[in-house]
Amino acid sequence: MRLPSSAHTSRPWRIHEIAGDFHLEDVWALPTPGGPDDLARLVDQFANGEGTPMTTSPVTRFLFATRWKLGAVLGWDKPDGGLGARVPTLRDRLPADLRDGPRGPDLRSVPFTSVYQLPDEWAAEMANRTVHGLMHIGWVETAPGSGAYHARMAVLVKPNGPFGRLYMAAIKPFRYLGVYPALLRGIGRGWQAGAAARR
């Protein structure tokens, strides 16, 4: 379910300290019911690509394959357009306690690099010639005092100039009609499968 921006901006996340110049694109509640210490399991699910649209949705696989092909033809994804080349990694901005703490795993199925991981928060980034993007996963109590938790995913972006803004506008319909619905379904299925396996 899509949430208002305040569902992210009103929380005391550490990401606010390092990504103030990024635009908050979307906030979503993820179908991941769990307990207070379950964020690490979700991060592992993301990192391993289990239950994600890249492994479960033919539509999303097609959209991503088309995007990677366009990127290869137009040079959007060359190494000199990515992290450490066109833009510095957000790890360079981290305060000492985050820099010295756990970084978290990188993702296998999409080119996201982990920035930091806390018990209730995880951030991963990617960059190419179109955008510097950030995925933030926060672990929140569903209702105060309930002991039930779930994840919220925020997508933050810094487009690369006018072309990057045009690119973000052009892909918006595909994100809302194809990518996000499949992503939420895939995350939910992966989470349920993991819970069933643990039982």
Side-chain angles (χ1 to χ4, degrees), residues 73-174:
V73 170
L74 300 174
W76 293 345
D77 303 315
K78 290 182 178 178
D80 64 354
L83 294 173
R86 185 181 72 78
V87 296
T89 172
L90 288 175
R91 283 195 57 80
D92 293 346
R93 301 183 182 187
L94 294 182
D97 66 316
L98 290 181
R99 188 173 54 250
D100 296 339
R103 187 174 74 85
D106 296 336
L107 277 67
R108 294 181 186 172
S109 59
V110 288
F112 274 82
T113 301
S114 193
V115 179
Y116 67 88
Q117 183 174 347
L118 297 170
D120 65 345
E121 192 176 349
W122 174 57
E125 66 179 330
M126 57 77 64
N128 55 41
R129 292 195 182 279
T130 63
V131 70
H132 187 178
L134 177 62
M135 176 179 63
H136 178 268
I137 304 292
W139 196 246
V140 299
E141 195 168 21
T142 303
S146 68
Y149 286 73
H150 71 278
R152 288 182 185 165
M153 178 179 71
V155 178
L156 300 99
V157 298
K158 188 193 286 188
N160 185 15
F163 172 69
R165 288 189 291 275
L166 179 64
Y167 171 81
M168 289 302 297
I171 67 169
K172 191 169 190 172
F174 299 101

Side-chain angles (χ1 to χ4, degrees), residues 18 26 34 40 43 62 69 72 75-76 102-103 157 179 198:
I18 63 168
D26 294 299
V43 172
F62 171 77
K69 190 58 145 176
W76 293 345
R103 187 174 74 85
V157 298
V179 174
R198 285 188 299 279

Side-chain angles (χ1 to χ4, degrees), residues 1-4 7 26-32 142 150-154 176 180-181 183-185:
M1 175 176 65
R2 192 174 181 203
L3 300 173
D26 294 299
V27 185
W28 297 87
L30 301 184
T32 55
T142 303
H150 71 278
R152 288 182 185 165
M153 178 179 71
Y176 285 108
Y180 283 133
L183 179 64
L184 297 179
R185 287 192 303 271

